[in-house]
């Protein structure tokens, strides 16, 4: 039970970090290649939106977050 919770929390953190990294890299990549920079920005936004959708779209998970918080 504890391992499943830890795995779920780590997957959320890794996905969030990946999406934010793609968005943050946009200005650095934009100097070299504008198309790849826009692709990175769009994919980063899509990753964050999908993470929010999967997290808050599930009624059980949403209820647990609202009742117990994110800890």
């Amino acid at each position: 039970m504890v391992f499943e919770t830890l795995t779920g929390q780590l997957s959320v953190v890794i996905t969030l970090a990946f999406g934010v990294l793609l968005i943050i890299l946009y200005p650095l990549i934009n100097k070299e290649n504008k198309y790849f920079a826009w692709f990175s920005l769009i994919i980063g936004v899509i990753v964050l939106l999908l993470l929010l959708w999967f997290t808050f779209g599930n009624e059980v998970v949403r209820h647990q977050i609202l009742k117990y918080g994110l800890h």
Side-chain angles (χ1 to χ4, degrees), residues 9 11 16 36 48-49 56 59:
Q9 289 175 345
S11 65
L16 182 65
F36 188 67
L48 290 179
L49 290 175
F56 294 108
E59 185 177 329

Side-chain angles (χ1 to χ4, degrees), residues 18 48 58 61 66 69:
F18 179 68
L48 290 179
N58 187 338
V61 174
L66 293 175

Side-chain angles (χ1 to χ4, degrees), residues 34-56:
K34 292 189 185 294
Y35 299 113
F36 188 67
W38 277 106
F39 178 75
S40 173
L41 180 67
I42 291 170
I43 294 299
V45 170
I46 288 172
V47 166
L48 290 179
L49 290 175
L50 283 174
L51 177 65
L52 290 173
W53 181 46
F54 287 141
T55 302
F56 294 108

Side-chain angles (χ1 to χ4, degrees), residues 13-34:
V13 169
I14 290 170
T15 306
L16 182 65
F18 179 68
V20 170
L21 178 67
L22 286 173
I23 293 172
I24 289 175
L25 286 177
Y26 169 75
L28 298 172
I29 299 172
N30 196 22
K31 295 176 184 174
E32 300 295 326
N33 188 343
K34 292 189 185 294

